[in-house]
Amino acid sequence: MKKIISLLVFYFILAPYSSAQNIYSAELQKNSSLIISGSTNLLTFKLYQKGEKLSKNKLTVSTTQLQNKLYLSQNQLSVVVKNFDSNNCMALKDFLKMLKSDTYPTLQVQINYLELQPIYEKEQNNIGNALVSITITGITKQYILPISLTSNGEIFTVNGNKKLSIRDFGLIPENKMMGMIKVSEWINIDFHMICKITEDKYLAKL
């Protein structure tokens, strides 16, 4: 999903350092990845996007922290559906058809807030949860996504996994070959995001 997870990383990282409104720049690294895994009664398949497709631009986001929750302004993101790739061409074709990629070329994602434990030291592992609104084919649902984080200077690595049902968005799993192949309604979203985070002191003074 384009940019969706890069901002999840962004929110998760900034909470320990925010007490009022702050402005930060975030740059997703090319060795990041997003994987959506699905299955049928006969096989499993994976759809993926690499870092260069997830986000090509540096992001500028203002943040506000209230107690242990971090809120962000103007954080609705568009995810290009056709940027996904797969080693299973048939699964990719069915995925694009199911998500009606010609009618709905993008998914909409918004982070409502992030609730997490503070980071006190460099290279320390941390965990948290993000409340996320996801819109697919015009239907919006909210999910809490668990996240784990490690840091090394300005470079932060975040990993997470969430199991979703496509029925949440009014999508029906297809059966093929007269019902011999049955597609599961459940998918797993796995992300491995590596992001460079810096405070934008110039914009913060404006």
Side-chain angles (χ1 to χ4, degrees), residues 47-73:
L47 313 168
Y48 56 86
Q49 286 193 40
K50 296 182 179 179
E52 59 267 22
K53 289 186 177 181
L54 288 171
S55 178
K56 297 181 180 180
N57 302 316
K58 184 179 291 187
L59 304 173
T60 300
V61 179
S62 62
T63 69
T64 303
Q65 184 177 357
L66 298 175
Q67 296 181 348
N68 63 333
K69 292 183 179 179
L70 185 66
Y71 298 85
L72 285 89
S73 64

Side-chain angles (χ1 to χ4, degrees), residues 3-193:
K3 295 184 181 179
I4 166 183
I5 309 304
S6 60
L7 273 183
L8 283 177
V9 178
F10 190 58
Y11 303 154
F12 185 84
I13 291 165
L14 299 180
Y17 309 106
S18 301
S19 56
Q21 188 175 66
N22 296 276
I23 300 177
Y24 295 87
S25 294
E27 186 174 3
L28 191 66
Q29 306 301 292
K30 290 184 178 180
N31 47 346
S32 304
S33 63
L34 169 66
I35 299 174
I36 297 179
S37 301
S39 65
T40 71
N41 57 320
L42 298 179
L43 53 83
T44 60
F45 57 87
K46 292 183 179 181
L47 313 168
Y48 56 86
Q49 286 193 40
K50 296 182 179 179
E52 59 267 22
K53 289 186 177 181
L54 288 171
S55 178
K56 297 181 180 180
N57 302 316
K58 184 179 291 187
L59 304 173
T60 300
V61 179
S62 62
T63 69
T64 303
Q65 184 177 357
L66 298 175
Q67 296 181 348
N68 63 333
K69 292 183 179 179
L70 185 66
Y71 298 85
L72 285 89
S73 64
Q74 299 178 346
N75 62 347
Q76 182 166 302
L77 308 173
S78 294
V79 178
V80 179
V81 177
K82 290 185 178 181
N83 274 352
F84 281 97
D85 202 353
S86 177
N87 55 3
N88 187 321
C89 296
M90 186 61 68
L92 178 60
K93 181 180 178 180
D94 290 343
F95 174 78
L96 297 178
K97 178 182 177 182
M98 181 181 66
L99 266 61
K100 305 174 184 178
S101 59
D102 290 332
T103 304
Y104 300 95
T106 61
L107 314 178
Q108 309 305 319
V109 180
Q110 178 173 313
I111 308 302
N112 300 306
Y113 66 78
L114 191 79
E115 187 173 15
L116 67 164
Q117 300 175 3
I119 300 174
Y120 297 106
E121 299 178 1
K122 292 182 178 180
E123 300 185 5
Q124 177 183 347
N125 293 331
N126 197 14
I127 57 174
N129 293 300
L131 179 63
V132 183
S133 296
I134 301 177
T135 303
I136 299 177
T137 61
I139 298 176
T140 302
K141 296 292 181 180
Q142 290 187 342
Y143 300 95
I144 294 179
L145 281 72
I147 302 173
S148 65
L149 170 74
T150 58
S151 63
N152 185 3
E154 294 181 338
I155 302 298
F156 297 82
T157 301
V158 66
N159 295 283
N161 175 279
K162 183 65 178 179
K163 186 176 183 179
L164 309 176
S165 171
I166 62 174
R167 293 185 185 275
D168 291 351
F169 303 95
L171 302 175
I172 307 299
E174 293 185 356
N175 293 331
K176 297 182 177 295
M177 296 183 65
M178 300 180 66
M180 294 179 64
I181 299 178
K182 298 180 180 181
V183 179
S184 173
E185 67 180 273
W186 297 100
I187 59 173
N188 280 288
I189 299 177
D190 293 278
F191 49 90
H192 174 69
M193 296 293 116

